Each structure stands twice: as C-alpha cells, then as structure tokens.
Amino acid sequence: MKSAPTFRRLGGDDPTGTLYIGEAGDLAKRLNQARRSARSHRREDSHGAISAMRQIPKLNFPIEKIGVALMYTDRLTRMIERDLLYSYINTFGDSPPLNYKI
C-alpha cells in the first residue's frame, strides 16, 4: 500500500493527505452518498466533497484509492468536527481541500 499523497498547504506540507473532515449522524448513509456521488456513470451530487473533488483536476483520484478514517464520538459530533477542522487550520494554515464550510 502506498503512502498518502502530500499536499502543499499555506502553512506547510500535509503528509496525511487529508482531503475532507466531516461528521455524520448516520455514517452508513453518508458513506453511501459519497460512494454514489463518486461513481462516474451516475451524476448524483449528494455528497459535496465528492462533487468538489471532481472540480479540481489534481484531486481526480479513483474512488478505490480513497481511504476513510473514522473516529467514534458518540455525541457532540459537530463540536468535535469543528475542533478537528480548527486543529487542521492551525497546523497547515488553511482547511482541507474539500472542506467548504467551517
């Protein structure tokens, strides 16, 4: 397995290859939205990060090559999502490439 691509960010290189940080009340539903949005033969745009990825030629990865990291939080998911986003921004100087809300 290859390592994640390094992304150049304003505050330095991101060796984790983080594209998106998000929260979901129903994880199975959210992952299925991402999978359906990523299929090239279907033009479903139910997951904004996948739609944004299609707009950026350098991020045109095959869906099979994209990994998902999960963190079980039980509750306070929006607060934890916000904290993860601010931590990323404080480290690299901007948000992950596919995050359009903070």
Side-chain angles (χ1 to χ4, degrees):
M1 184 168 159
K2 291 184 179 181
S3 62
T6 297
F7 294 117
R8 296 207 183 275
R9 311 306 298 154
L10 291 174
D13 291 348
D14 171 10
T16 68
T18 299
L19 293 171
Y20 177 76
I21 295 172
E23 63 90 21
D26 184 339
L27 181 61
K29 178 180 177 182
R30 196 69 176 136
L31 289 174
N32 276 326
Q33 287 174 333
R35 183 181 50 80
R36 286 192 318 266
S37 292
R39 289 184 177 162
S40 60
H41 66 279
R42 289 180 74 166
R43 286 292 168 195
E44 180 177 330
D45 290 330
S46 57
H47 196 293
I50 301 298
S51 300
M53 189 171 72
R54 282 197 185 122
Q55 305 291 324
I56 304 170
K58 295 262 184 195
L59 299 180
N60 192 13
F61 300 118
I63 191 66
E64 309 83 46
K65 301 288 183 185
I66 296 176
V68 175
L70 305 174
M71 181 173 80
Y72 178 74
T73 59
D74 191 31
R75 55 186 110 151
L76 303 175
T77 57
R78 290 186 191 235
M79 186 172 66
I80 293 167
E81 176 194 30
R82 185 198 66 218
D83 290 347
L84 288 170
L85 282 166
Y86 283 133
S87 176
Y88 189 96
I89 291 166
N90 287 331
T91 302
F92 301 111
D94 58 358
S95 62
L98 301 181
N99 277 94
Y100 51 88
K101 71 168 186 165
I102 296 180

